[in-house]
Amino acid sequence: MPFYPQIAQHILAHHADELPDLRGLTVLLPNHYAAQPLARALSAAAGVPLLLPNMTTLADALLKIPLPQAIQSDMQRVAQLYQVLRDQGWFGDADLWGVASELLALIDELTRYAVVLPLSEAEFAEQLTAAYQAKRGEAMQFEARVVHELWFAMNHDASWHTVKAEQYRLAAWAAQLATPLYVLRTSDESIVETRFLDLCSENIEVTVFDLREMARGKDQYAWLNSSFAVGRASARLVGLKPDLRDIEDLQTLARQLPASARLPNLQLFPAQGLEQEAEAAEVQIRRWLLAGKSNIAVVVQDRLVARRVRALLERAEVRVQDESGWTFSTLAVSTPLKVWLDVLQNDFYYQDVLDLLKSPFLFAVAPPSDRKHAAFLFEQLVRKHGVVAHISSFIKLAQRESPELVPALQRLKDAATQGRNQKLPLVDWLRGLHDSAFALGLGAGWARDPAGQQLLQLLKQWADDLKDNATRLSFGEWRRWLSQQLDANTFRDMTIESPVRFTHLAATRWRQFDAVLLVGCDATHLPAPLNVGQWFNDGVRATLGLPVSAAQQHQVRDDLFGLLAMNDTVLATWQSTQNGDINLLSPYLEMLRTLSVLAGGSDLIDPQLARLLPHARVRVADASLLEAITANPRVPADRLPQRISPSGYNSLVACPYQFYARYVLHLNDLEEVRETLDKRDYGTWVHKILQLFHAEIPLLLNVPADVAEATLQRISREVFEQALESDYLAHAWLLRWEKLIPAYLNWQREQETAGWRYTAAEQGMEFAVDEQLVLKGRIDRFDTDANGAICVLDYKTQSATGLKAKLALAGEDVQLVCYALAKDASHAAFVSLDGEKVSSIAPVEAIPDLAAWNLARLQTVFEQMRSGTPLPANGVTCEYCEMKGLCRRGAC
């Protein structure tokens, strides 16, 4: 590009007598990246070694100006505003930290742009009424009161803050400059920058190199100037395609383009959804890398797409240098911090504790295997016993059943030095967080991680900034403050060097790349939505002399102009459809596309990329992994189960793929921690009660009815006793069971009258299906008669109707026949313990025949599996299956 050589020639021509020493000159850059190409251009134009000018950004130059006094940090000022807002009670239950931050930004903006409010609040309210062009009302008076009072309170004291420091430094630097100043820009300066340059112009020569003006006079950029000229003149651009008047303007400009004008150095890719946009971006980046490009910019407009692109690049082993960075709230290092505060707030709720134990930053000094083992033991413990909260309860339980876990739990308890019911200044909350983080080993883990190191520095810096703030905050207020800080601070990993860098549009000013990829270029993201804010609309802002929201879009437009002017290879992607609806291209890019078509060129759509996508996807190195989760897998010989339970057989019948996922891959859902009593607990208690009852009274016909009922009542209360102490819902389940006791005793007497005698309960079973497979389970109960016949029974706290439906289709539910096989039983039935009636529900078919048929089917199916027959997902149970996300049959 000719821009840097043009600047270099101008500087050298005006300072030829000073060569080779140009150190007396100052060049104000939009960013540090512009320094290197300008230095190269100066050296090339001079033809001799040079002592280069002072090339700096405005922000860095101002930091070198010493201040006559210390300044109050913005964090301190927000905390002061928060206390005022809380004490005044102006905003009720609103997020006061957010309101305080917005108000501080407005107050600083008023100061920065030298806005002086009237001394009278009433006069200010009248000013707002005129600007809003509305009748004066309570809302407007409230707004005037809040802004007026807080602006005067925050600005009329002797303390300095960041804006006062900025104003002092601008004036001081302008006074210090004694040699010519050169400025590189791509868009209009702010009022503050204009005032600074005006001050400089009073003493020295100031030369501004405006990229827009430099490109405007060159034929090769005529297409760019033409389309953006329409964009500057049109108020119809935001979120819309060019309308008829814009098209007419573009037609006129297309006819006027000189013959030397190049067509746009831009290609477009309309994606069908987020995933295709991310895939297209990733494939194009790899194409550029293969072509030898070593400086690729990914200019992010849509952060969601950017996350997916980054993940795809990492899968392809392409590292990314991220100039934009990520807020600390989204980083892994912040997760254990937030989870620890959840632990404290929720009184060691088991899920929070488990999440904390799974963090790789916890107990960082110890071997990772110790922490993982502690997480495993804790999860097994809470799932087995259903204890859901309180660290003392966890420790007590671990001491009894898992002593290895106690040290880890005790360490968590010892670190909880701050309670959720305290009210403390922010500095004390921060110090407590710092101390507990190191007690938990988080500090050591952070110290090994670049983002963690910066987080530790932030915690220290925040504590230093707030050491004089005495506002006492509750735990909830402190958490909301911390969340705001994690959202407001950004981490950039400077340790990564890569030819691919993610950046944002403003950071591309005056930069050249080998190739540029713009992602998320729809009308919603480019330009971004207007940042109106909570305070004052554009009419009021214009009246007060503040910049209006349109200025933000003008800057975006100019930055895009500069990017396209500086770079020859640019691809812009956007999702042309979202959720089935048309999603418009950015109006700025739509202008370029329309102009290209009108000038006899193409519509700029990339003709190859869409065709390449199916063939350019990165393939997983371990193909066996894909085979393992395909919808029609074959079971490897070494993973074929050698034991199967009745529930496993039921799963095999319901859906072969479900059986494969559960019993071959062992992806069964873990037992849920039941935080309240439910029907499963009820069924467990009923089984236990009946086992104890029949062990004490095996034959009911020999016992008086009142004695039998009293015995069953007593045993029931003994079994329910522990649950009654810990959960009030147990009373309801006990009452439900007690209502059923007379019906159960009647059913048992009928069973005995029919000749059946209780024999055993909760008995393990094993049955050899063939030489390589064993059927294993536990039988609820079996009875025998005088002839030695056996009847297996399975208690169910389900309705008789539901159980009949289970048995309606022979072989669909195999639980009873599996028990019958193991005991060589001639009879089998479910016992329905539901409602106010107890009944036996038996299959219609003869049990021996049904058992033989199911045995033959199980043998056949396993022989087929051994021979390599695939296990399909048949789609029968998808609605309730926990494996549907794995097989994805029919995208269910």
Side-chain angles (χ1 to χ4, degrees):
M1 294 296 172
F3 303 115
Y4 282 114
Q6 183 179 342
I7 295 170
Q9 290 167 6
H10 178 97
I11 293 174
L12 293 176
H14 284 72
H15 301 279
D17 56 341
E18 300 171 35
L19 294 176
D21 189 354
L22 299 178
R23 288 177 296 175
L25 307 180
T26 300
V27 182
L28 203 55
L29 305 174
N31 53 61
H32 286 293
Y33 297 104
Q36 190 174 22
L38 179 56
R40 285 199 299 263
L42 285 168
S43 298
V48 295
L50 292 177
L51 295 174
L52 294 170
N54 172 32
M55 293 185 281
T56 184
T57 64
L58 183 60
D60 283 351
L62 294 183
L63 286 177
K64 296 176 182 178
I65 305 295
L67 296 173
Q69 67 179 75
I71 66 171
Q72 189 180 30
S73 71
D74 286 346
M75 188 173 294
Q76 290 174 292
R77 299 169 71 211
V78 168
Q80 290 176 355
L81 270 175
Y82 179 87
Q83 183 175 3
V84 173
L85 296 177
R86 187 182 64 180
D87 293 345
Q88 293 290 342
W90 282 333
F91 295 94
D93 295 330
D95 174 19
L96 293 187
W97 287 116
V99 174
S101 296
E102 285 191 10
L103 278 169
L104 183 64
L106 175 62
I107 290 167
D108 283 349
E109 196 174 25
L110 291 168
T111 304
R112 181 175 287 113
Y113 288 91
V115 177
V116 179
L117 300 186
L119 293 176
S120 166
E121 179 187 314
E123 188 179 346
F124 182 50
E126 289 296 334
Q127 189 177 4
L128 292 185
T129 301
Y132 277 122
Q133 297 181 349
K135 292 182 179 180
R136 186 170 179 176
E138 289 186 8
M140 200 176 300
Q141 287 179 301
F142 173 72
E143 184 176 44
R145 178 187 175 192
V146 170
V147 174
H148 192 270
E149 286 189 17
L150 294 178
W151 184 80
F152 273 93
M154 298 295 288
N155 280 285
H156 288 70
D157 57 39
S159 63
W160 277 36
H161 50 73
T162 51
V163 178
K164 283 187 178 180
E166 175 189 90
Q167 292 172 333
Y168 172 85
R169 283 168 163 158
L170 283 169
W173 194 37
Q176 290 176 11
L177 285 171
T179 54
L181 174 67
Y182 293 93
V183 182
L184 275 63
R185 75 178 184 191
T186 58
S187 59
D188 297 335
E189 298 109 343
S190 67
I191 294 176
V192 175
E193 293 168 333
T194 300
R195 288 173 182 160
F196 167 70
L197 294 180
D198 288 343
L199 284 174
C200 293
S201 300
E202 295 175 2
N203 302 314
I204 60 173
E205 180 183 354
V206 177
T207 304
V208 175
F209 296 103
D210 190 322
L211 184 60
R212 297 168 300 178
E213 296 299 328
M214 296 175 71
R216 195 165 292 150
K218 299 182 183 298
D219 285 351
Q220 63 264 42
Y221 301 110
W223 61 272
L224 195 56
N225 288 312
S226 298
S227 61
F228 276 80
V230 173
R232 283 189 290 272
S234 176
R236 305 178 294 274
L237 273 177
V238 180
L240 299 172
K241 286 186 176 182
D243 68 10
L244 182 59
R245 287 168 292 174
D246 296 322
I247 298 297
E248 292 172 352
D249 292 340
L250 287 169
Q251 287 175 330
T252 301
L253 291 168
R255 290 192 294 269
Q256 297 173 352
L257 287 177
S260 59
R262 298 180 305 176
L263 288 176
N265 55 340
L266 169 72
Q267 286 190 308
L268 304 172
F269 181 81
Q272 305 301 308
L274 185 149
E275 186 65 22
Q276 190 185 45
E277 183 179 10
E279 286 185 358
E282 182 262 344
V283 168
Q284 184 59 60
I285 290 168
R286 286 194 285 123
R287 290 175 71 191
W288 283 334
L289 290 172
L290 290 172
K293 297 186 184 299
S294 58
N295 186 16
I296 300 170
V298 181
V299 183
V300 176
Q301 304 299 319
D302 186 336
R303 297 293 284 178
L304 192 61
V305 177
R307 280 183 177 275
R308 184 58 183 148
V309 174
R310 183 167 188 160
L312 292 175
L313 288 171
E314 288 177 353
R315 187 178 69 178
E317 298 184 353
V318 177
R319 301 191 76 192
V320 170
Q321 182 178 342
D322 196 336
E323 293 178 2
S324 300
W326 300 94
T327 62
F328 272 90
S329 61
T330 65
L331 298 180
V333 294
S334 300
T335 300
L337 180 70
K338 292 183 285 188
V339 172
W340 172 238
L341 296 179
D342 288 336
V343 167
L344 297 176
Q345 183 169 333
N346 301 325
D347 200 10
F348 286 83
Y349 176 61
Y350 84 94
Q351 191 62 64
D352 298 331
V353 175
L354 185 57
D355 289 343
L356 186 62
L357 288 171
K358 290 181 178 180
S359 170
F361 293 97
L362 187 74
F363 306 152
V365 177
S369 57
D370 291 356
R371 176 189 51 77
K372 293 177 181 179
H373 186 56
F376 171 78
L377 293 176
F378 180 76
E379 187 167 18
Q380 297 301 313
L381 198 68
V382 296
R383 292 188 185 281
K384 179 180 178 181
H385 294 280
V387 179
V388 299
H390 311 306
I391 187 64
S392 297
S393 300
F394 294 143
I395 292 175
K396 183 178 179 181
L397 191 61
Q399 287 172 337
R400 186 173 70 247
E401 296 207 10
S402 187
E404 293 175 86
L405 180 59
V406 173
L409 295 178
Q410 188 62 49
R411 191 169 178 181
L412 298 184
K413 182 179 180 181
D414 294 342
T417 56
Q418 291 180 323
R420 57 183 177 178
N421 297 321
Q422 293 177 290
K423 281 197 171 186
L424 300 170
L426 278 170
V427 65
D428 290 341
W429 283 119
L430 283 164
R431 287 169 180 162
L433 179 63
H434 178 274
D435 293 344
S436 63
F438 275 88
L440 293 168
L442 294 175
W446 290 336
R448 301 172 183 174
D449 183 272
Q453 293 168 10
Q454 191 169 326
L455 179 58
L456 286 171
Q457 293 171 1
L458 285 173
L459 291 174
K460 183 180 183 302
Q461 176 187 323
W462 296 340
D464 290 342
D465 284 348
L466 294 164
K467 62 180 181 295
D468 297 326
N469 185 275
T471 305
R472 302 182 77 84
L473 304 175
S474 68
F475 186 86
E477 290 175 305
W478 140 246
R479 285 211 65 181
R480 288 189 290 274
W481 176 87
L482 182 63
S483 177
Q484 184 186 70
Q485 301 312 309
L486 294 175
D487 279 331
N489 285 271
T490 302
F491 169 72
R492 297 174 181 85
D493 192 348
M494 307 306 293
T495 65
I496 295 178
E497 293 186 5
S498 171
V500 181
R501 63 183 68 217
F502 279 34
T503 189
H504 56 280
L505 192 57
T508 65
R509 294 168 187 165
W510 281 92
R511 294 176 68 179
Q512 293 174 283
F513 303 96
D514 293 342
V516 176
L517 178 66
L518 284 152
V519 296
C521 296
D522 56 25
T524 302
H525 293 91
L526 184 64
L530 294 174
N531 184 22
V532 177
Q534 180 178 346
W535 303 93
F536 304 155
N537 62 19
D538 274 347
V540 177
R541 295 178 67 84
T543 300
L544 294 174
L546 298 175
V548 296
S549 55
Q552 174 189 353
Q553 291 189 333
H554 293 162
Q555 191 168 58
V556 169
R557 178 201 63 206
D558 292 339
D559 286 340
L560 179 61
F561 176 100
L563 179 67
L564 294 173
M566 293 287 294
N567 294 278
D568 286 330
T569 303
V570 182
L571 173 69
T573 67
W574 88 101
Q575 297 168 50
S576 60
T577 59
Q578 282 185 334
N579 302 319
D581 297 326
I582 294 175
N583 188 38
L584 298 178
L585 176 64
S586 163
Y588 301 141
L589 299 179
E590 189 65 62
M591 285 289 186
L592 292 175
R593 179 165 69 169
T594 303
L595 181 63
S596 175
V597 172
L598 293 175
S602 72
D603 62 0
L604 305 183
I605 301 298
D606 188 308
Q608 297 180 335
L609 189 53
R611 294 196 298 269
L612 285 175
L613 292 186
H615 311 288
R617 295 188 177 103
V618 175
R619 288 169 173 78
V620 178
D622 186 0
S624 64
L625 177 61
L626 290 177
E627 172 65 22
I629 60 173
T630 183
N632 291 283
R634 291 174 172 81
V635 182
D638 60 340
R639 304 201 68 170
L640 193 70
Q642 296 181 339
R643 297 187 177 196
I644 189 171
S645 66
S647 59
Y649 191 3
N650 263 336
S651 177
L652 183 60
V653 172
C655 175
Y657 185 90
Q658 182 191 81
F659 171 83
Y660 172 79
R662 285 179 178 176
Y663 299 100
V664 177
L665 299 181
H666 301 291
L667 299 178
N668 313 52
D669 271 356
L670 290 172
E671 182 71 20
E672 292 183 2
V673 178
R674 297 198 290 277
E675 301 183 32
T676 58
L677 302 178
D678 60 19
K679 201 168 186 178
R680 286 173 293 179
D681 299 295
Y682 173 64
T684 301
W685 295 326
V686 169
H687 278 65
K688 181 66 173 176
I689 289 167
L690 294 179
Q691 180 186 7
L692 294 173
F693 173 71
H694 287 294
E696 189 168 332
I697 305 178
L699 185 62
L700 230 62
L701 293 177
N702 295 336
V703 177
D706 59 338
V707 174
E709 184 168 348
T711 302
L712 189 50
Q713 290 277 7
R714 172 179 54 78
I715 293 173
S716 299
R717 289 196 168 273
E718 290 173 354
V719 170
F720 271 84
E721 182 178 8
Q722 184 176 357
L724 291 171
E725 293 175 356
S726 59
D727 197 319
Y728 70 94
L729 289 177
H731 291 276
W733 290 113
L734 177 58
L735 289 172
R736 177 174 180 170
W737 166 243
E738 287 178 335
K739 287 177 62 177
L740 196 60
I741 284 177
Y744 178 78
L745 294 174
N746 289 336
W747 173 85
Q748 177 61 27
R749 291 189 187 95
E750 291 173 3
Q751 182 82 348
E752 293 177 5
T753 301
W756 295 108
R757 296 293 182 266
Y758 171 85
T759 305
E762 299 299 327
Q763 188 176 78
M765 54 154 267
E766 284 195 11
F767 178 82
V769 176
D770 57 26
E771 293 181 355
Q772 302 178 57
L773 182 65
V774 173
L775 180 64
K776 187 174 182 179
R778 180 169 292 277
I779 301 173
D780 283 356
R781 166 180 167 178
F782 68 91
D783 293 0
T784 55
D785 66 8
N787 299 318
I790 296 175
C791 175
V792 293
L793 299 171
D794 193 70
Y795 298 127
K796 297 290 184 184
T797 55
Q798 302 171 28
S799 69
T801 302
L803 294 174
K804 288 177 182 177
K806 274 190 172 187
L807 300 177
L809 186 61
E812 184 173 351
D813 189 287
V814 300
Q815 188 174 14
L816 287 177
V817 294
C818 285
Y819 297 154
L821 277 171
K823 300 301 294 184
D824 194 19
S826 57
H827 295 75
F830 291 128
V831 180
S832 173
L833 304 170
D834 187 69
E836 298 182 358
K837 184 179 180 182
V838 177
S839 57
S840 300
I841 311 298
V844 175
E845 299 80 12
I847 291 298
D849 295 341
L850 194 58
W853 182 82
N854 274 279
L855 174 61
R857 178 176 63 174
L858 184 58
Q859 291 169 336
T860 300
V861 169
F862 264 78
E863 281 299 325
Q864 291 173 337
M865 281 193 279
R866 292 174 189 134
S867 63
T869 303
L871 300 181
N874 60 23
V876 174
T877 61
C878 286
E879 184 177 356
Y880 310 103
C881 180
E882 76 278 14
M883 301 301 170
K884 63 183 178 182
L886 190 65
C887 78
R888 301 184 65 80
R889 175 184 169 87
C892 61

